[in-house]
């Protein structure tokens, strides 16, 4: 499995602290995404970026922030303003070129636990 | 609002039995439709997409625009099909996916 990596695999944070989750891809994909996965709720989109230096809010952006300074990297910061940050976070990337047109490739995920 | 409904949280079938995982969507326009699968200890990955009309691992999905459904089917379930399945229409700006809540398929011997 190469392509898209996330670190760390497990992360523990104290309440009131900001924490940054890493997502890197070497697929040369333009678009990158962050999802949150909670039991019984499927995946919900937090932020997405279609191109370097540009990103948009997803459905549940409150309490999160992102940056996209490089094509390969799309870090997610979970701020202390996020009311319920304990969850499994997935990063994905995609491009618009055949044959994987619009297919999203997922990383292995980071499990964040707030103590 | 865009919505995806997968009514079954858990579907348990015997090996060799037919499988149908239901998906209904409420979406503006004509979304592109996908099924993603997550096997135990593996990454979430694309299973199939409507536009390619492929059969992947014996699964097919029929789009019914009248009923706005995109059910996933397989005539004979195998043990290795046990996994979590997500229906995901894509549409709107940014090629965003909207995931359903998922159906856990368990194939028993």
């Amino acid at each position: 499995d190469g392509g898209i990596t996330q670190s760390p695999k497990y992360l523990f944070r104290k309440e009131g602290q900001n924490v940054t989750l890493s997502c890197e891809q070497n697929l040369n994909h333009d678009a990158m995404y962050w999802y949150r996965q909670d039991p019984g709720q499927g995946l919900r989109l937090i932020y997405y970026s279609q191109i370097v230096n540009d990103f948009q809010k997803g459905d549940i952006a409150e309490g999160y922030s992102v940056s996209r300074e490089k094509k390969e990297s799309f870090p997610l910061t979970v701020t202390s303003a996020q009311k319920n940050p304990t969850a499994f976070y997935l990063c994905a990337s995609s491009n618009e070129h055949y044959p994987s047109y619009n297919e999203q490739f997922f990383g292995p995920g980071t499990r964040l636990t707030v103590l | 609002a865009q919505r995806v409904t997968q009514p079954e949280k858990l579907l348990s079938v015997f090996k060799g039995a037919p499988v149908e995982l239901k998906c209904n969507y409420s979406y503006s326009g004509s979304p592109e439709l996908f099924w993603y699968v997550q096997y135990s200890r593996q990454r979430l990955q694309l299973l199939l997409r409507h536009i390619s009309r492929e059969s992947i691992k014996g699964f097919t999905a029929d789009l019914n625009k009248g009923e706005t459904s995109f059910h996933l089917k397989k005539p004979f379930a195998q043990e290795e099909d046990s996994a979590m399945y997500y229906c995901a229409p894509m549409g709107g700006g940014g090629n965003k996916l909207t995931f359903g809540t998922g159906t856990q398929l368990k194939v028993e011997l």
Side-chain angles (χ1 to χ4, degrees), chain B residues 59-74:
Chain B
F59 283 97
T60 58
D62 293 327
L63 172 62
N64 185 321
K65 288 189 177 180
E67 294 180 359
T68 57
S69 67
F70 189 52
H71 303 328
L72 184 69
K73 300 177 184 179
K74 184 169 182 176

Side-chain angles (χ1 to χ4, degrees), chain A residues 1-5 31 33 35 37 40-45 48 50 56-59 88 90 94 96 99-108, chain B residues 2 6 9 32 34 36-38 41-47 49 51-52 54 84 86 88 90-102:
Chain A
D1 282 327
I4 182 162
T5 57
Y33 310 82
Y35 295 92
Q37 189 175 29
Q41 295 197 50
L43 280 75
R44 293 180 290 168
L45 182 65
Y48 64 102
Q50 292 178 266
Q56 284 80 40
K57 292 181 179 180
D59 300 318
F88 190 60
L90 283 169
S94 71
E96 294 186 354
S100 61
Y101 175 75
N102 280 342
E103 174 183 353
Q104 291 193 14
F105 292 80
F106 285 83
Chain B
Q2 297 151 346
Q6 292 182 251
K9 201 178 234 185
E32 189 176 358
F34 299 81
Y36 279 78
V37 61
Q38 190 164 26
R41 298 189 184 85
Q42 292 188 29
R43 300 183 188 201
L44 189 62
Q45 59 188 282
L46 177 67
L47 176 63
R49 60 202 303 169
I51 197 168
S52 62
E54 292 175 306
M84 178 70 89
Y86 294 97
M90 174 180 281
N95 292 333
K96 295 181 291 181
L97 287 171
T98 300
F99 283 86
T101 51

